[in-house]
Amino acid sequence: MQRWLMRLAAGLLIAGLAFGAAAFRAPQAHAAGEQHCFDTTGKCVGPLFFAYWQAHGGLAINGYPVSDEQVEVLENGQPYTVQYFERVRMEYHPENVAPYTVLLGQFGRHFHPADPPVDPQPGAQYFQATGHNVSGAFLDYWQANGGLAQFGYPLSETFQQQLEDGHTYTVQYFERARFELHPENQPPYNVELGQFGRRILAENSGQVVAACQAAHLSASLVMQGAAGSREGAIQLINETAAPCSLSGRPQAQLVDENSAPITDVTITDAPRDPATEGVTTVGVGRGQAFAIRVRWSNYCGRPVDKAQVVLLFPGGVPVYADWASVPPCLGAGEGS
């Protein structure tokens, strides 16, 4: 039975990316695994962001997803895997320790820079960090629905503002949200959140990193041998002058000099990062690269001296790596 098409590891070892001399860890997407799809917007949410969505207010606080997972260059100039919802942008920050690997974009500061500090007010909770008060229905909502982690600090006092529907409401801006008082609704629905996610998504369309094209990538193969096995790394190199992204789980096969698949070859998983369910990697320009750890062992098929590794990313065409030797047979069914 042919076994020439095997999945590579979901947890890929990433190396060698840098902005100039400053290296960074490439963002990793989470599109593989179980998806949760919403007919209302036709978008699906992967396991990492969906877990955060469920644990932090679900539909009422975050809204429906309005984009797919994508790589975007954020305000700090570095690329991250993000997904937009009606009221928030979820960002995957692998440089942080759990549970802070998923953060929310600070949309409040974008739409309403912080007002000057004021004095504490009677009956309100005062936030020294920004110098503003929160009280009444807004304080109850802030406390009941995630507080500082979900909404951030207040950036303003309450004031009257005409909103997108043409009506004027009492509002208050926080780092990650705008609270709106809707007295026409019964509590707890008298406090609503502004749909900042849709607005930021429309503004940031130019920041999305385009997918890599196979024609713009080259690959080199560095393998080490042991009795009955070969392991090492496939290094994908961005040959263009612009950033690009690779998404999803790649597949791989070994082929001979005639591009015919080689049977009875196993490519095993590389060490797995339990947080990841796929990979999105950004090359920052010509010569930048990342490495995929691979291994195969105990080949007992037809005689082949050299094999070529072919990588296939979802939606792309194959990328061919250099020739590599095939390990010797230790006996059918034998591990190595």
Side-chain angles (χ1 to χ4, degrees), residues 204-222:
N204 286 7
S205 59
Q207 301 299 316
V208 176
V209 177
C212 295
Q213 302 298 312
H216 300 155
L217 298 172
S218 63
S220 63
L221 185 62
V222 179

Side-chain angles (χ1 to χ4, degrees), residues 95-137:
E95 71 277 13
N96 296 343
V97 297
Y100 307 108
T101 52
V102 176
L103 302 178
L104 300 181
Q106 293 196 6
F107 291 167
R109 290 187 181 276
H110 177 85
F111 292 113
H112 189 94
D115 289 338
V118 301
D119 294 329
Q121 300 297 317
Q125 182 171 342
Y126 185 73
F127 292 86
Q128 188 71 41
T130 53
H132 289 288
N133 301 272
V134 184
S135 62

